Amino acid sequence: MSVLIKNGRVVTATDDYYADVFVEGEKITLIGQDLKVAADTVIDATGRLVIPGGIDVHTHLDMPFGGSFTADDFDSGTKAAAFGGTTTLIDFAIQTQGKSTLEGLDAWHARAEGKATIDYGFHMIVTDMPEERLPEIDRLVEEGITSFKMFMAYPGVLYTDDATHFRTYRRAGEVGARIQLHAENGIVIDEFIKDAVARGDVSPGWHPRTRPARLAGEAVYRASAIAEVAKVPLYIVHLDCVESLVEVKRAKERGVDIVAETCPQYLFLDDSYNDLEGFEGAKYVMSPPLRPKAGQEVLWTALARGDLSLVATDHAPFNYKGQKELGLEVFTKIPNGAPGVENRVSLMYQGGVVEGRFDVNRFVEVTSTAPAKVFGMFPKKGTIAIGSDADIVVFNPERRETISVDNPFTHHMNVDYSAYEGFEVQGWSEVVLSRGRVICDNGKLVTEGGGQFIKRAQVNQLLR
Ligand code: URP
Ligand code: ZN
Ligand code: ZN
């Protein structure tokens, strides 16, 4: 099969020019002006951007959490991602405490295999790491799992102590892997939660109030110090607040290999959402929590300047009815997380390019190229180049949509609300190709299945 994308404006993280792009099989094989080649499918991209498919490196599909499972699995979640212009995602496999991480990986392969419509990889969530289990890290890296998420939050669930952090960081560094951190001091947070519940402060608005931003900044500092002495590249997931950003910048200044992602929710939403009428605030209960509006512009500036490297969603959808409602009596029982995998690319085009915070190159960089580079998928993924996978989005930079659970052009996620209900965005993913297959065409899913597992490379290695 071959596809010719004609007359588009090709935008990568570094380039911006008019050209035709020719795809043979799964790869881009020719880029040039006015190409005279026969193709099975010809797409007219006049007036459109031709950009590399989005890469969302933080999703939780079919994840057990807080007494429930996330509402999207690898079938619905990868289709929704594709509609929104994302052609690769990295989800999190979870180690059951006391059991092998390799078993955890097998379980997540079983969840995804045969269901995914776009390509996917896995990070590994480490919930314990005694000395004798350390060789599993080497095995996982051989299997293409080159990043390991650890938590300073959620004591009794996903939390691990500093010794476990150090042990894991050091081994990961030795074998070319990266550590990802959920930066919140869960031990102290639990004291705030106990006090709030004892006082009867149990509504969703108490979720952010019991998780002070200083305790996020403290966790970033502690992890950056441990990573520094353990000699491992560190990655801060879902960076939410100025306190954490300051610690990322300080660590960079003293030479620590550290990068940070933020998420649309911390750029577009704020903690006032948790105080919405009735129980509505539960829709916005996530960890780390939404923060005061004043911090949003600071995060945008950091993203534009490169102090924040990329944007992922932390897509963790739970239905309002029946799932979020588990916490009607007390906010601690609300499953943490919000949906977003389908909206990321449009939101970032709107907030970044349309609202004038950065240019189209930076838009492509934060949504595709940087994620590919940081997580060992470049240049197979993350750019438009000869030899790269034909993961391509024909993006209409003029089309406006109002994001809504009721809008069939913005909501295919299997969840009963939208975190961005009523937000107007300009920029929409019109045609989406995954390894040369057209999968979405003007709001219609035309191919399903066929997503493949990506064995990712080690830090600073290229993937072909
Ligand atoms: O609230 C969130 N973020 N839920 C998903 C789990 C995590 O910590 O990323
Ligand atoms: Zn997390
Ligand atoms: Zn997450």
Side-chain angles (χ1 to χ4, degrees), residues 6-66:
K6 284 196 75 64
N7 306 321
R9 178 178 163 197
V10 178
V11 180
T12 68
T14 48
D15 295 313
D16 187 352
Y17 56 94
Y18 289 91
D20 300 344
V21 177
F22 185 60
V23 173
E24 275 176 294
E26 300 190 348
K27 302 277 184 192
I28 296 167
T29 57
L30 264 182
I31 301 173
Q33 277 172 351
D34 206 13
L35 291 179
K36 303 275 183 280
V37 280
D40 300 312
T41 305
V42 177
I43 298 168
D44 181 12
T46 306
R48 310 291 186 258
L49 308 185
V50 177
I51 57 175
I55 300 179
D56 189 345
V57 293
H58 192 152
T59 64
H60 299 281
L61 302 177
D62 204 1
M63 176 187 70
F65 196 65

Side-chain angles (χ1 to χ4, degrees), residues 58-60 63 92 125 149 151 154 182 237-238 261 287 313-316:
H58 192 152
T59 64
H60 299 281
M63 176 187 70
F92 289 84
I125 288 179
K149 183 175 177 187
F151 292 76
Y154 307 132
H182 180 126
V237 296
H238 46 47
E261 101 191 350
S287 294
T313 59
D314 194 11
H315 178 71

Side-chain angles (χ1 to χ4, degrees), residues 89-319:
L89 53 81
I90 310 183
D91 207 83
F92 289 84
I94 305 180
Q95 173 199 17
T96 303
Q97 208 162 27
K99 299 218 166 129
S100 160
T101 52
L102 296 159
E103 274 177 42
L105 177 61
D106 288 345
W108 257 262
H109 272 306
R111 282 168 148 85
E113 220 165 297
K115 279 193 166 180
T117 288
I118 60 170
D119 292 350
Y120 59 92
F122 294 120
H123 314 285
M124 175 57 63
I125 288 179
V126 172
T127 55
D128 72 16
M129 190 50 68
E131 200 77 34
E132 62 275 17
R133 211 184 280 299
L134 286 171
E136 290 179 14
I137 293 177
D138 314 24
R139 282 283 313 283
L140 286 164
V141 168
E142 285 163 18
E143 296 292 322
I145 312 302
T146 52
S147 39
F148 296 82
K149 183 175 177 187
M150 300 186 72
F151 292 76
M152 290 179 171
Y154 307 132
V157 189
L158 298 167
Y159 167 90
T160 49
D161 63 18
D162 289 356
T164 306
H165 277 257
F166 174 66
R167 212 179 295 124
T168 310
Y169 289 24
R170 186 164 57 179
R171 187 63 159 240
E174 283 164 3
V175 295
R178 187 179 294 278
I179 291 292
Q180 298 164 285
L181 179 78
H182 180 126
E184 285 188 293
N185 185 328
I187 300 289
V188 179
I189 285 169
D190 267 9
E191 295 298 309
F192 278 88
I193 291 175
K194 255 190 275 169
D195 290 352
V197 173
R199 289 193 309 268
D201 290 329
V202 291
S203 66
W206 284 94
H207 177 73
R209 290 184 177 93
T210 51
R211 308 181 88 89
R214 179 58 58 209
L215 298 178
E218 183 273 331
V220 173
Y221 171 70
R222 188 160 26 112
S224 70
I226 299 172
E228 188 176 349
V229 296
K231 298 187 175 59
V232 68
L234 183 63
Y235 179 93
I236 306 299
V237 296
H238 46 47
L239 188 138
D240 55 305
C241 61
V242 179
E243 286 79 352
S244 290
L245 177 65
V246 166
E247 295 303 337
V248 168
K249 288 205 235 179
R250 287 211 313 157
K252 280 186 191 208
E253 273 163 21
R254 63 177 197 274
V256 178
D257 186 345
I258 182 170
V259 290
E261 101 191 350
T262 191
C263 309
Q265 54 269 37
Y266 303 116
L267 297 166
F268 287 89
L269 308 174
D270 62 72
D271 56 3
S272 67
Y273 283 76
N274 294 115
D275 287 321
L276 287 174
E277 277 290 295
F279 191 59
E280 284 286 301
K283 293 178 177 173
Y284 302 94
V285 166
M286 62 191 77
S287 294
L290 296 176
R291 300 296 187 185
K293 197 166 180 57
Q296 285 175 359
E297 211 47 53
V298 181
L299 298 191
W300 275 112
T301 301
L303 187 63
R305 290 191 185 159
D307 294 323
L308 294 173
S309 296
L310 61 97
V311 177
T313 59
D314 194 11
H315 178 71
F318 295 98
N319 285 306

